[in-house]
mmCIF file of all heavy atoms in Angstrom:
data_model
loop_
_atom_site.group_PDB
_atom_site.id
_atom_site.type_symbol
_atom_site.label_atom_id
_atom_site.label_comp_id
_atom_site.label_asym_id
_atom_site.label_seq_id
_atom_site.Cartn_x
_atom_site.Cartn_y
_atom_site.Cartn_z
ATOM 1 N N PHE C 22 127.746 -34.953 45.260
ATOM 2 C CA PHE C 22 129.149 -34.671 45.020
ATOM 3 C C PHE C 22 129.748 -35.620 43.995
ATOM 4 O O PHE C 22 130.416 -35.222 43.073
ATOM 5 C CB PHE C 22 129.876 -34.757 46.386
ATOM 6 C CG PHE C 22 131.346 -34.447 46.310
ATOM 7 C CD1 PHE C 22 131.735 -33.112 46.129
ATOM 8 C CD2 PHE C 22 132.316 -35.431 46.481
ATOM 9 C CE1 PHE C 22 133.103 -32.800 46.113
ATOM 10 C CE2 PHE C 22 133.641 -35.099 46.432
ATOM 11 C CZ PHE C 22 134.060 -33.787 46.252
ATOM 12 N N THR C 23 129.492 -36.941 44.198
ATOM 13 C CA THR C 23 129.913 -37.938 43.247
ATOM 14 C C THR C 23 129.062 -39.181 43.410
ATOM 15 O O THR C 23 128.534 -39.448 44.477
ATOM 16 C CB THR C 23 131.410 -38.307 43.424
ATOM 17 O OG1 THR C 23 131.769 -39.322 42.492
ATOM 18 C CG2 THR C 23 131.689 -38.825 44.828
ATOM 19 N N LEU C 24 128.934 -39.941 42.314
ATOM 20 C CA LEU C 24 128.250 -41.203 42.402
ATOM 21 C C LEU C 24 129.192 -42.328 42.791
ATOM 22 O O LEU C 24 128.770 -43.470 42.998
ATOM 23 C CB LEU C 24 127.621 -41.564 41.073
ATOM 24 C CG LEU C 24 126.218 -40.972 40.791
ATOM 25 C CD1 LEU C 24 126.328 -39.497 40.535
ATOM 26 C CD2 LEU C 24 125.564 -41.645 39.559
ATOM 27 N N GLY C 25 130.470 -42.055 42.894
ATOM 28 C CA GLY C 25 131.483 -43.053 43.184
ATOM 29 C C GLY C 25 131.506 -43.510 44.619
ATOM 30 O O GLY C 25 130.698 -43.058 45.450
ATOM 31 N N ASN C 26 132.527 -44.336 44.925
ATOM 32 C CA ASN C 26 132.659 -44.788 46.307
ATOM 33 C C ASN C 26 133.502 -43.837 47.111
ATOM 34 O O ASN C 26 133.866 -42.766 46.633
ATOM 35 C CB ASN C 26 133.281 -46.200 46.296
ATOM 36 C CG ASN C 26 134.623 -46.260 45.595
ATOM 37 O OD1 ASN C 26 135.302 -45.223 45.430
ATOM 38 N ND2 ASN C 26 135.049 -47.460 45.139
ATOM 39 N N LEU C 27 133.851 -44.230 48.337
ATOM 40 C CA LEU C 27 134.610 -43.343 49.235
ATOM 41 C C LEU C 27 136.003 -42.980 48.670
ATOM 42 O O LEU C 27 136.429 -41.871 48.728
ATOM 43 C CB LEU C 27 134.766 -44.006 50.600
ATOM 44 C CG LEU C 27 135.576 -43.172 51.619
ATOM 45 C CD1 LEU C 27 134.870 -41.891 51.934
ATOM 46 C CD2 LEU C 27 135.778 -43.996 52.899
ATOM 47 N N ASP C 28 136.646 -43.962 48.062
ATOM 48 C CA ASP C 28 137.964 -43.725 47.482
ATOM 49 C C ASP C 28 137.899 -42.644 46.385
ATOM 50 O O ASP C 28 138.709 -41.756 46.295
ATOM 51 C CB ASP C 28 138.567 -45.008 46.872
ATOM 52 C CG ASP C 28 139.016 -45.977 47.973
ATOM 53 O OD1 ASP C 28 139.279 -45.482 49.104
ATOM 54 O OD2 ASP C 28 139.121 -47.172 47.675
ATOM 55 N N MET C 29 136.824 -42.724 45.555
ATOM 56 C CA MET C 29 136.706 -41.752 44.514
ATOM 57 C C MET C 29 136.384 -40.392 45.058
ATOM 58 O O MET C 29 136.959 -39.347 44.663
ATOM 59 C CB MET C 29 135.598 -42.144 43.504
ATOM 60 C CG MET C 29 135.375 -41.159 42.387
ATOM 61 S SD MET C 29 134.068 -41.628 41.203
ATOM 62 C CE MET C 29 134.946 -42.910 40.300
ATOM 63 N N ALA C 30 135.498 -40.358 46.057
ATOM 64 C CA ALA C 30 135.124 -39.066 46.661
ATOM 65 C C ALA C 30 136.349 -38.432 47.264
ATOM 66 O O ALA C 30 136.613 -37.214 47.140
ATOM 67 C CB ALA C 30 134.036 -39.266 47.746
ATOM 68 N N GLU C 31 137.133 -39.212 47.982
ATOM 69 C CA GLU C 31 138.343 -38.730 48.661
ATOM 70 C C GLU C 31 139.344 -38.197 47.627
ATOM 71 O O GLU C 31 139.978 -37.161 47.874
ATOM 72 C CB GLU C 31 138.974 -39.817 49.488
ATOM 73 C CG GLU C 31 140.131 -39.362 50.357
ATOM 74 C CD GLU C 31 140.695 -40.466 51.203
ATOM 75 O OE1 GLU C 31 141.032 -41.541 50.604
ATOM 76 O OE2 GLU C 31 140.838 -40.265 52.387
ATOM 77 N N SER C 32 139.446 -38.855 46.519
ATOM 78 C CA SER C 32 140.403 -38.403 45.493
ATOM 79 C C SER C 32 140.036 -37.060 44.956
ATOM 80 O O SER C 32 140.914 -36.277 44.489
ATOM 81 C CB SER C 32 140.424 -39.426 44.332
ATOM 82 O OG SER C 32 139.227 -39.395 43.523
ATOM 83 N N TYR C 33 138.736 -36.683 44.996
ATOM 84 C CA TYR C 33 138.315 -35.360 44.578
ATOM 85 C C TYR C 33 138.444 -34.324 45.662
ATOM 86 O O TYR C 33 139.020 -33.275 45.429
ATOM 87 C CB TYR C 33 136.872 -35.443 44.060
ATOM 88 C CG TYR C 33 136.729 -36.106 42.703
ATOM 89 C CD1 TYR C 33 136.019 -37.327 42.561
ATOM 90 C CD2 TYR C 33 137.305 -35.588 41.556
ATOM 91 C CE1 TYR C 33 135.906 -37.955 41.370
ATOM 92 C CE2 TYR C 33 137.189 -36.201 40.326
ATOM 93 C CZ TYR C 33 136.483 -37.406 40.242
ATOM 94 O OH TYR C 33 136.409 -38.058 39.003
ATOM 95 N N TYR C 34 137.871 -34.595 46.859
ATOM 96 C CA TYR C 34 137.890 -33.503 47.811
ATOM 97 C C TYR C 34 139.273 -33.242 48.379
ATOM 98 O O TYR C 34 139.508 -32.183 48.966
ATOM 99 C CB TYR C 34 136.827 -33.642 48.891
ATOM 100 C CG TYR C 34 136.920 -34.811 49.887
ATOM 101 C CD1 TYR C 34 137.933 -34.855 50.825
ATOM 102 C CD2 TYR C 34 135.938 -35.777 49.906
ATOM 103 C CE1 TYR C 34 137.994 -35.915 51.715
ATOM 104 C CE2 TYR C 34 135.961 -36.835 50.796
ATOM 105 C CZ TYR C 34 136.984 -36.875 51.717
ATOM 106 O OH TYR C 34 137.050 -37.883 52.653
ATOM 107 N N GLN C 35 140.176 -34.166 48.224
ATOM 108 C CA GLN C 35 141.568 -33.886 48.623
ATOM 109 C C GLN C 35 142.186 -32.831 47.724
ATOM 110 O O GLN C 35 143.180 -32.171 48.070
ATOM 111 C CB GLN C 35 142.422 -35.145 48.547
ATOM 112 C CG GLN C 35 142.116 -36.140 49.674
ATOM 113 C CD GLN C 35 142.649 -35.697 51.022
ATOM 114 O OE1 GLN C 35 143.330 -34.717 51.146
ATOM 115 N NE2 GLN C 35 142.409 -36.493 52.062
ATOM 116 N N LYS C 36 141.646 -32.606 46.546
ATOM 117 C CA LYS C 36 142.165 -31.626 45.602
ATOM 118 C C LYS C 36 141.526 -30.263 45.760
ATOM 119 O O LYS C 36 141.894 -29.292 45.088
ATOM 120 C CB LYS C 36 141.940 -32.123 44.166
ATOM 121 C CG LYS C 36 142.652 -33.405 43.806
ATOM 122 C CD LYS C 36 142.261 -33.911 42.420
ATOM 123 C CE LYS C 36 142.894 -35.228 42.116
ATOM 124 N NZ LYS C 36 142.459 -35.761 40.803
ATOM 125 N N LEU C 37 140.515 -30.187 46.604
ATOM 126 C CA LEU C 37 139.724 -28.967 46.709
ATOM 127 C C LEU C 37 140.135 -28.144 47.941
ATOM 128 O O LEU C 37 140.238 -28.656 49.066
ATOM 129 C CB LEU C 37 138.202 -29.301 46.848
ATOM 130 C CG LEU C 37 137.624 -30.075 45.684
ATOM 131 C CD1 LEU C 37 136.173 -30.471 45.987
ATOM 132 C CD2 LEU C 37 137.674 -29.237 44.403
ATOM 133 N N ASN C 38 140.279 -26.852 47.754
ATOM 134 C CA ASN C 38 140.549 -25.952 48.885
ATOM 135 C C ASN C 38 139.315 -25.905 49.781
ATOM 136 O O ASN C 38 138.117 -26.053 49.337
ATOM 137 C CB ASN C 38 140.862 -24.531 48.378
ATOM 138 C CG ASN C 38 142.170 -24.490 47.607
ATOM 139 O OD1 ASN C 38 143.009 -25.352 47.702
ATOM 140 N ND2 ASN C 38 142.349 -23.417 46.823
ATOM 141 N N GLY C 39 139.516 -25.499 51.040
ATOM 142 C CA GLY C 39 138.407 -25.246 51.938
ATOM 143 C C GLY C 39 138.167 -26.354 52.946
ATOM 144 O O GLY C 39 138.719 -27.453 52.890
ATOM 145 N N CYS C 40 137.316 -26.026 53.886
ATOM 146 C CA CYS C 40 136.774 -26.950 54.883
ATOM 147 C C CYS C 40 135.375 -27.316 54.446
ATOM 148 O O CYS C 40 134.517 -26.432 54.291
ATOM 149 C CB CYS C 40 136.778 -26.334 56.274
ATOM 150 S SG CYS C 40 136.202 -27.396 57.592
ATOM 151 N N HIS C 41 135.104 -28.625 54.284
ATOM 152 C CA HIS C 41 133.876 -29.029 53.570
ATOM 153 C C HIS C 41 132.879 -29.662 54.473
ATOM 154 O O HIS C 41 133.220 -30.497 55.350
ATOM 155 C CB HIS C 41 134.282 -30.046 52.480
ATOM 156 C CG HIS C 41 135.276 -29.500 51.498
ATOM 157 N ND1 HIS C 41 134.929 -28.839 50.398
ATOM 158 C CD2 HIS C 41 136.654 -29.532 51.503
ATOM 159 C CE1 HIS C 41 136.009 -28.457 49.738
ATOM 160 N NE2 HIS C 41 137.082 -28.857 50.386
ATOM 161 N N PHE C 42 131.611 -29.286 54.248
ATOM 162 C CA PHE C 42 130.473 -29.880 54.957
ATOM 163 C C PHE C 42 129.534 -30.446 53.866
ATOM 164 O O PHE C 42 129.133 -29.729 52.952
ATOM 165 C CB PHE C 42 129.735 -28.882 55.808
ATOM 166 C CG PHE C 42 130.527 -28.358 56.959
ATOM 167 C CD1 PHE C 42 131.445 -27.294 56.815
ATOM 168 C CD2 PHE C 42 130.464 -28.993 58.201
ATOM 169 C CE1 PHE C 42 132.169 -26.854 57.888
ATOM 170 C CE2 PHE C 42 131.234 -28.533 59.286
ATOM 171 C CZ PHE C 42 132.087 -27.481 59.119
ATOM 172 N N PHE C 43 129.201 -31.717 54.019
ATOM 173 C CA PHE C 43 128.392 -32.412 52.949
ATOM 174 C C PHE C 43 126.981 -32.735 53.461
ATOM 175 O O PHE C 43 126.796 -33.266 54.556
ATOM 176 C CB PHE C 43 129.075 -33.708 52.549
ATOM 177 C CG PHE C 43 130.405 -33.483 51.865
ATOM 178 C CD1 PHE C 43 131.590 -33.559 52.575
ATOM 179 C CD2 PHE C 43 130.477 -33.292 50.502
ATOM 180 C CE1 PHE C 43 132.799 -33.364 51.972
ATOM 181 C CE2 PHE C 43 131.700 -33.077 49.868
ATOM 182 C CZ PHE C 43 132.853 -33.137 50.602
ATOM 183 N N LEU C 44 125.992 -32.406 52.617
ATOM 184 C CA LEU C 44 124.638 -32.872 52.874
ATOM 185 C C LEU C 44 124.331 -34.047 52.008
ATOM 186 O O LEU C 44 124.949 -34.204 50.937
ATOM 187 C CB LEU C 44 123.646 -31.691 52.538
ATOM 188 C CG LEU C 44 123.376 -30.676 53.633
ATOM 189 C CD1 LEU C 44 124.556 -29.757 53.809
ATOM 190 C CD2 LEU C 44 122.114 -29.885 53.319
ATOM 191 N N GLN C 45 123.327 -34.815 52.390
ATOM 192 C CA GLN C 45 122.976 -35.974 51.609
ATOM 193 C C GLN C 45 122.182 -35.520 50.367
ATOM 194 O O GLN C 45 121.348 -34.644 50.396
ATOM 195 C CB GLN C 45 121.992 -36.878 52.450
ATOM 196 C CG GLN C 45 121.516 -38.105 51.721
ATOM 197 C CD GLN C 45 122.642 -39.125 51.553
ATOM 198 O OE1 GLN C 45 123.301 -39.433 52.517
ATOM 199 N NE2 GLN C 45 122.775 -39.587 50.348
ATOM 200 N N GLY C 46 122.596 -36.092 49.221
ATOM 201 C CA GLY C 46 121.865 -35.833 47.985
ATOM 202 C C GLY C 46 121.179 -37.098 47.478
ATOM 203 O O GLY C 46 120.916 -38.039 48.209
ATOM 204 N N SER C 47 120.982 -37.166 46.145
ATOM 205 C CA SER C 47 120.265 -38.314 45.545
ATOM 206 C C SER C 47 121.252 -39.488 45.321
ATOM 207 O O SER C 47 120.820 -40.632 45.255
ATOM 208 C CB SER C 47 119.687 -37.922 44.209
ATOM 209 O OG SER C 47 118.853 -36.774 44.345
ATOM 210 N N HIS C 48 122.531 -39.171 45.179
ATOM 211 C CA HIS C 48 123.504 -40.209 44.698
ATOM 212 C C HIS C 48 124.712 -40.383 45.604
ATOM 213 O O HIS C 48 125.626 -41.033 45.238
ATOM 214 C CB HIS C 48 124.004 -39.838 43.314
ATOM 215 C CG HIS C 48 122.907 -39.647 42.304
ATOM 216 N ND1 HIS C 48 122.146 -40.699 41.840
ATOM 217 C CD2 HIS C 48 122.490 -38.519 41.649
ATOM 218 C CE1 HIS C 48 121.239 -40.224 40.950
ATOM 219 N NE2 HIS C 48 121.462 -38.912 40.842
ATOM 220 N N ASP C 49 124.664 -39.770 46.811
ATOM 221 C CA ASP C 49 125.868 -39.825 47.661
ATOM 222 C C ASP C 49 125.856 -41.084 48.491
ATOM 223 O O ASP C 49 125.518 -41.077 49.685
ATOM 224 C CB ASP C 49 125.877 -38.573 48.577
ATOM 225 C CG ASP C 49 126.008 -37.306 47.796
ATOM 226 O OD1 ASP C 49 127.045 -37.112 47.142
ATOM 227 O OD2 ASP C 49 125.087 -36.481 47.838
ATOM 228 N N ARG C 50 126.343 -42.171 47.857
ATOM 229 C CA ARG C 50 126.419 -43.468 48.544
ATOM 230 C C ARG C 50 127.760 -43.649 49.168
ATOM 231 O O ARG C 50 128.008 -44.705 49.762
ATOM 232 C CB ARG C 50 126.104 -44.573 47.550
ATOM 233 C CG ARG C 50 124.771 -44.441 46.838
ATOM 234 C CD ARG C 50 124.495 -45.550 45.865
ATOM 235 N NE ARG C 50 123.233 -45.366 45.160
ATOM 236 C CZ ARG C 50 123.115 -44.727 44.014
ATOM 237 N NH1 ARG C 50 124.216 -44.264 43.396
ATOM 238 N NH2 ARG C 50 121.927 -44.586 43.424
#
């Protein structure tokens, strides 16, 4: 989803419609 930290991730998914479920990827720290 993003290589950034939690703050960065939150800044993005707060802008997205829907109810989100995340799987682990290569860069999701």
Side-chain angles (χ1 to χ4, degrees):
F22 182 71
T23 179
L24 275 71
N26 57 21
L27 180 63
D28 288 338
M29 179 179 285
E31 187 178 51
S32 72
Y33 287 115
Y34 66 67
Q35 288 285 357
K36 298 174 184 176
L37 300 174
N38 294 341
C40 181
H41 304 271
F42 293 87
F43 295 95
L44 277 72
Q45 181 71 52
S47 307
H48 304 292
D49 296 297
R50 304 179 183 93

